[in-house]
Amino acid sequence: MNWINSLVRPKIRDLLKKREVPENLWIKCPETGEMVFHRDLEANLWVVPNSGHHMRMPAKQRLVSFFDGGSFERITTPEVHADPLKFRDTKKYVDRLKEYRAKTGETDAVHIARGKVNGAPMTAAVQDFAFMGGSLGMAAGEAILTGMQAAIAHKTPFVLFAASGGARMQEGILSLMQMPRTTVGIQMLREAGLPYIVVLTNPTTGGVSASYAMLGDVHIAEPGAQIGFAGRRVIEQTIREKLPEGFQSAEYLLEHGMVDMVVNRHDLKNTISRICGILMKREVEIPALTDQREAGKTSNQAVSQSETA
């Protein structure tokens, strides 16, 4: 009977075991419901190929796609007090930090790096929405200031990719103090004559949109990004009115003069490089602008010439 215990039963157990299938192999497009293989989505910079919907992009991958050859130098940021207020909600704040640090492999929500973009040196900061919703706390504020100081020291433009739900409530007034502190850093960049470019990604809200995310020299938004201070439901309940369709979307804000341009993720690198080159007074190749009125005149002239002939 040993052969039954040692051979048959283990095989039966293997058959009955639930097959382990890796999660997130297929990702659903929020707009069309299309299922996209995760590697295809990653290769396309997290933009759904058919619908063009811009999914959230991991912070590390954004740096890799932004800098030439994916090569960059991470800038070390200062350590801050982990839990100054001894805050606790459903769990201790220190335990929540440990959880997100283990999950993301990062100490906090902002990544700072320096490298070259189309051959020109540049300093960039990326907010990681995967780390507590990219919330602004003391560590994030210190990181942004460190990045701005590094840009001043190396005389490079500073580019910020914003993605945040707002200030970090677990740090109270100390998180709100990062709003004026980063504003001082922006003033330092301006005094040094260095460009400060903000890329607004989905979502950029709360105290971040009320401070450094709306103080750039040029504001670029990704298509479909939600940008605003309070949420749509909160505003509607406060003013007791129905808001327009697409309110707080990148396209709506562009139409109403709140952002300068809406740029596809694939074109961000070249667009930022061109803007920084102009502001730094370098020779820049500017693509020909297509004006519909001029195009119409040209086509009408061509038609009249052909009729004359």
Side-chain angles (χ1 to χ4, degrees), residues 16-276:
L16 295 176
K17 274 183 184 177
K18 186 179 178 182
R19 242 179 114 190
E20 293 184 3
V21 180
E23 295 180 359
N24 301 326
L25 283 179
W26 294 87
I27 298 172
K28 186 176 181 179
C29 173
E31 287 187 1
T32 63
E34 174 191 3
M35 299 301 290
V36 186
F37 189 54
H38 73 107
R39 288 184 181 173
D40 294 337
L41 190 64
E42 182 177 347
N44 202 42
L45 301 182
W46 279 265
V47 178
V48 180
N50 292 330
S51 68
H53 179 80
H54 284 52
M55 306 285 285
R56 287 195 190 118
M57 188 175 185
K60 288 181 182 177
Q61 295 304 316
R62 191 177 284 278
L63 290 172
V64 169
S65 66
F66 184 62
F67 289 108
D68 294 347
S71 177
F72 55 88
E73 175 191 353
R74 287 288 295 268
I75 297 174
T76 305
T77 57
E79 292 186 7
V80 299
H81 197 294
D83 186 12
L85 303 180
K86 307 297 180 186
F87 191 92
R88 178 171 186 158
D89 42 35
T90 55
K91 64 170 67 174
K92 291 181 179 179
Y93 179 40
V94 287
D95 294 337
R96 200 178 292 278
L97 284 174
K98 288 177 184 177
E99 176 188 339
Y100 280 98
R101 285 170 180 171
K103 188 186 298 183
T104 62
E106 298 293 333
T107 56
D108 213 270
V110 176
H111 307 237
I112 308 292
R114 182 173 63 247
K116 289 190 175 181
V117 177
N118 290 339
M122 206 166 292
T123 307
V126 179
Q127 285 188 273
D128 189 357
F129 196 81
F131 195 105
M132 296 188 70
S135 52
L136 174 64
M138 292 192 300
E142 283 291 345
I144 292 170
L145 275 172
T146 300
M148 291 175 175
Q149 290 168 349
I152 294 169
H154 293 87
K155 294 181 173 56
T156 71
F158 186 72
V159 181
L160 173 77
F161 294 88
S164 177
R168 190 170 297 177
M169 69 172 189
Q170 290 88 347
E171 295 183 15
I173 189 65
L174 298 174
S175 69
L176 297 178
M177 284 301 298
Q178 307 313 308
M179 296 166 63
R181 292 184 76 235
T182 51
T183 303
V184 171
I186 294 166
Q187 185 60 35
M188 291 166 59
L189 284 170
R190 287 182 179 153
E191 289 176 359
L194 298 170
Y196 171 48
I197 311 300
V198 179
V199 181
L200 302 161
T201 72
N202 185 49
T204 302
T205 57
V208 170
S209 68
S211 55
Y212 57 85
M214 284 298 179
L215 294 174
D217 297 316
V218 178
H219 294 99
I220 304 171
E222 288 190 335
Q226 179 188 355
I227 305 161
F229 181 68
R232 181 189 186 96
R233 179 173 53 83
V234 173
I235 297 172
E236 287 182 340
Q237 290 177 350
T238 302
I239 66 175
R240 300 182 184 278
E241 289 184 18
K242 189 72 176 174
L243 294 171
E245 192 64 32
F247 179 75
Q248 293 185 326
S249 68
E251 292 75 14
Y252 185 92
L253 266 64
L254 175 66
E255 185 180 343
H256 290 78
M258 290 293 290
V259 299
D260 297 301
M261 58 185 79
V262 176
V263 179
N264 189 287
R265 190 173 289 162
H266 294 93
D267 301 324
L268 271 177
K269 178 177 178 178
N270 290 333
T271 302
I272 294 170
S273 173
R274 194 179 302 120
I275 291 170
C276 290

